[in-house]
PDB file of all heavy atoms in Angstrom:
ATOM      1  N   ALA H1089      63.087  12.283  37.877  1.00 97.00           N
ATOM      2  CA  ALA H1089      62.353  12.993  36.832  1.00 97.00           C
ATOM      3  C   ALA H1089      61.298  13.922  37.424  1.00 97.00           C
ATOM      4  O   ALA H1089      60.728  13.654  38.489  1.00 97.00           O
ATOM      5  CB  ALA H1089      61.684  11.983  35.888  1.00 97.00           C
ATOM      6  N   LYS H1090      61.061  15.021  36.726  1.00 97.00           N
ATOM      7  CA  LYS H1090      60.015  15.967  37.072  1.00 97.00           C
ATOM      8  C   LYS H1090      59.003  16.024  35.930  1.00 97.00           C
ATOM      9  O   LYS H1090      59.299  15.626  34.797  1.00 97.00           O
ATOM     10  CB  LYS H1090      60.596  17.364  37.312  1.00 97.00           C
ATOM     11  CG  LYS H1090      61.480  17.483  38.528  1.00 97.00           C
ATOM     12  CD  LYS H1090      61.906  18.925  38.732  1.00 97.00           C
ATOM     13  CE  LYS H1090      62.718  19.090  40.012  1.00 97.00           C
ATOM     14  NZ  LYS H1090      63.108  20.514  40.234  1.00 97.00           N
ATOM     15  N   LEU H1091      57.833  16.555  36.232  1.00 97.00           N
ATOM     16  CA  LEU H1091      56.786  16.650  35.219  1.00 97.00           C
ATOM     17  C   LEU H1091      57.269  17.422  33.993  1.00 97.00           C
ATOM     18  O   LEU H1091      56.953  17.059  32.848  1.00 97.00           O
ATOM     19  CB  LEU H1091      55.532  17.323  35.791  1.00 97.00           C
ATOM     20  CG  LEU H1091      54.820  16.602  36.934  1.00 97.00           C
ATOM     21  CD1 LEU H1091      53.641  17.437  37.428  1.00 97.00           C
ATOM     22  CD2 LEU H1091      54.351  15.228  36.493  1.00 97.00           C
ATOM     23  N   GLU H1092      58.058  18.476  34.232  1.00 96.00           N
ATOM     24  CA  GLU H1092      58.511  19.328  33.128  1.00 96.00           C
ATOM     25  C   GLU H1092      59.564  18.667  32.247  1.00 96.00           C
ATOM     26  O   GLU H1092      59.983  19.235  31.235  1.00 96.00           O
ATOM     27  CB  GLU H1092      59.040  20.667  33.651  1.00 96.00           C
ATOM     28  CG  GLU H1092      60.189  20.546  34.628  1.00 96.00           C
ATOM     29  CD  GLU H1092      59.726  20.669  36.067  1.00 96.00           C
ATOM     30  OE1 GLU H1092      58.618  20.175  36.390  1.00 96.00           O
ATOM     31  OE2 GLU H1092      60.487  21.247  36.873  1.00 96.00           O
ATOM     32  N   ASP H1093      59.990  17.458  32.612  1.00 97.00           N
ATOM     33  CA  ASP H1093      60.939  16.726  31.772  1.00 97.00           C
ATOM     34  C   ASP H1093      60.236  15.991  30.633  1.00 97.00           C
ATOM     35  O   ASP H1093      60.901  15.410  29.757  1.00 97.00           O
ATOM     36  CB  ASP H1093      61.740  15.718  32.588  1.00 97.00           C
ATOM     37  CG  ASP H1093      62.577  16.375  33.662  1.00 97.00           C
ATOM     38  OD1 ASP H1093      62.986  17.542  33.473  1.00 97.00           O
ATOM     39  OD2 ASP H1093      62.809  15.732  34.699  1.00 97.00           O
ATOM     40  N   SER H1094      58.917  16.003  30.625  1.00 97.00           N
ATOM     41  CA  SER H1094      58.175  15.377  29.528  1.00 97.00           C
ATOM     42  C   SER H1094      58.548  16.058  28.217  1.00 97.00           C
ATOM     43  O   SER H1094      58.381  17.275  28.067  1.00 97.00           O
ATOM     44  CB  SER H1094      56.664  15.492  29.755  1.00 97.00           C
ATOM     45  OG  SER H1094      56.274  14.726  30.877  1.00 97.00           O
ATOM     46  N   ALA H1095      59.053  15.286  27.284  1.00 97.00           N
ATOM     47  CA  ALA H1095      59.589  15.846  26.044  1.00 97.00           C
ATOM     48  C   ALA H1095      60.034  14.698  25.153  1.00 97.00           C
ATOM     49  O   ALA H1095      60.020  13.531  25.557  1.00 97.00           O
ATOM     50  CB  ALA H1095      60.785  16.761  26.334  1.00 97.00           C
ATOM     51  N   VAL H1096      60.455  15.053  23.947  1.00 96.00           N
ATOM     52  CA  VAL H1096      61.150  14.103  23.087  1.00 96.00           C
ATOM     53  C   VAL H1096      62.638  14.378  23.215  1.00 96.00           C
ATOM     54  O   VAL H1096      63.073  15.533  23.111  1.00 96.00           O
ATOM     55  CB  VAL H1096      60.709  14.244  21.615  1.00 96.00           C
ATOM     56  CG1 VAL H1096      61.540  13.313  20.730  1.00 96.00           C
ATOM     57  CG2 VAL H1096      59.231  13.916  21.472  1.00 96.00           C
ATOM     58  N   TYR H1097      63.404  13.337  23.447  1.00 97.00           N
ATOM     59  CA  TYR H1097      64.857  13.468  23.573  1.00 97.00           C
ATOM     60  C   TYR H1097      65.481  12.954  22.271  1.00 97.00           C
ATOM     61  O   TYR H1097      65.361  11.783  21.934  1.00 97.00           O
ATOM     62  CB  TYR H1097      65.356  12.731  24.807  1.00 97.00           C
ATOM     63  CG  TYR H1097      64.893  13.458  26.054  1.00 97.00           C
ATOM     64  CD1 TYR H1097      63.632  13.228  26.586  1.00 97.00           C
ATOM     65  CD2 TYR H1097      65.684  14.443  26.637  1.00 97.00           C
ATOM     66  CE1 TYR H1097      63.172  13.941  27.686  1.00 97.00           C
ATOM     67  CE2 TYR H1097      65.232  15.153  27.741  1.00 97.00           C
ATOM     68  CZ  TYR H1097      63.966  14.900  28.243  1.00 97.00           C
ATOM     69  OH  TYR H1097      63.511  15.619  29.327  1.00 97.00           O
ATOM     70  N   LEU H1098      66.116  13.883  21.581  1.00 96.00           N
ATOM     71  CA  LEU H1098      66.708  13.585  20.276  1.00 96.00           C
ATOM     72  C   LEU H1098      68.212  13.421  20.404  1.00 96.00           C
ATOM     73  O   LEU H1098      68.873  14.197  21.090  1.00 96.00           O
ATOM     74  CB  LEU H1098      66.423  14.723  19.297  1.00 96.00           C
ATOM     75  CG  LEU H1098      64.971  15.026  18.967  1.00 96.00           C
ATOM     76  CD1 LEU H1098      64.865  16.320  18.170  1.00 96.00           C
ATOM     77  CD2 LEU H1098      64.366  13.878  18.163  1.00 96.00           C
ATOM     78  N   CYS H1099      68.709  12.426  19.717  1.00 96.00           N
ATOM     79  CA  CYS H1099      70.150  12.248  19.603  1.00 96.00           C
ATOM     80  C   CYS H1099      70.530  12.550  18.153  1.00 96.00           C
ATOM     81  O   CYS H1099      69.781  12.221  17.222  1.00 96.00           O
ATOM     82  CB  CYS H1099      70.533  10.821  19.966  1.00 96.00           C
ATOM     83  SG  CYS H1099      72.303  10.463  19.850  1.00 96.00           S
ATOM     84  N   ALA H1100      71.657  13.200  17.968  1.00 94.00           N
ATOM     85  CA  ALA H1100      72.150  13.493  16.632  1.00 94.00           C
ATOM     86  C   ALA H1100      73.652  13.249  16.597  1.00 94.00           C
ATOM     87  O   ALA H1100      74.319  13.261  17.642  1.00 94.00           O
ATOM     88  CB  ALA H1100      71.837  14.931  16.236  1.00 94.00           C
ATOM     89  N   SER H1101      74.181  13.035  15.406  1.00 93.00           N
ATOM     90  CA  SER H1101      75.627  12.871  15.286  1.00 93.00           C
ATOM     91  C   SER H1101      76.130  13.583  14.041  1.00 93.00           C
ATOM     92  O   SER H1101      75.366  13.848  13.105  1.00 93.00           O
ATOM     93  CB  SER H1101      76.007  11.387  15.242  1.00 93.00           C
ATOM     94  OG  SER H1101      75.586  10.754  14.052  1.00 93.00           O
ATOM     95  N   SER H1102      77.398  13.910  14.069  1.00 90.00           N
ATOM     96  CA  SER H1102      78.056  14.476  12.901  1.00 90.00           C
ATOM     97  C   SER H1102      79.443  13.868  12.804  1.00 90.00           C
ATOM     98  O   SER H1102      79.991  13.365  13.790  1.00 90.00           O
ATOM     99  CB  SER H1102      78.121  15.996  12.960  1.00 90.00           C
ATOM    100  OG  SER H1102      78.865  16.429  14.073  1.00 90.00           O
ATOM    101  N   LEU H1103      80.015  13.963  11.603  1.00 87.00           N
ATOM    102  CA  LEU H1103      81.275  13.264  11.350  1.00 87.00           C
ATOM    103  C   LEU H1103      82.365  13.721  12.305  1.00 87.00           C
ATOM    104  O   LEU H1103      83.161  12.926  12.797  1.00 87.00           O
ATOM    105  CB  LEU H1103      81.692  13.480   9.893  1.00 87.00           C
ATOM    106  CG  LEU H1103      82.824  12.635   9.359  1.00 87.00           C
ATOM    107  CD1 LEU H1103      82.501  11.152   9.511  1.00 87.00           C
ATOM    108  CD2 LEU H1103      83.102  12.954   7.897  1.00 87.00           C
TER     109      LEU H1103
END
Side-chain angles (χ1 to χ4, degrees):
Chain H
K1090 293 185 176 182
L1091 297 177
E1092 58 261 36
D1093 298 331
S1094 293
V1096 175
Y1097 290 84
L1098 298 171
C1099 179
S1101 69
S1102 62
L1103 191 57

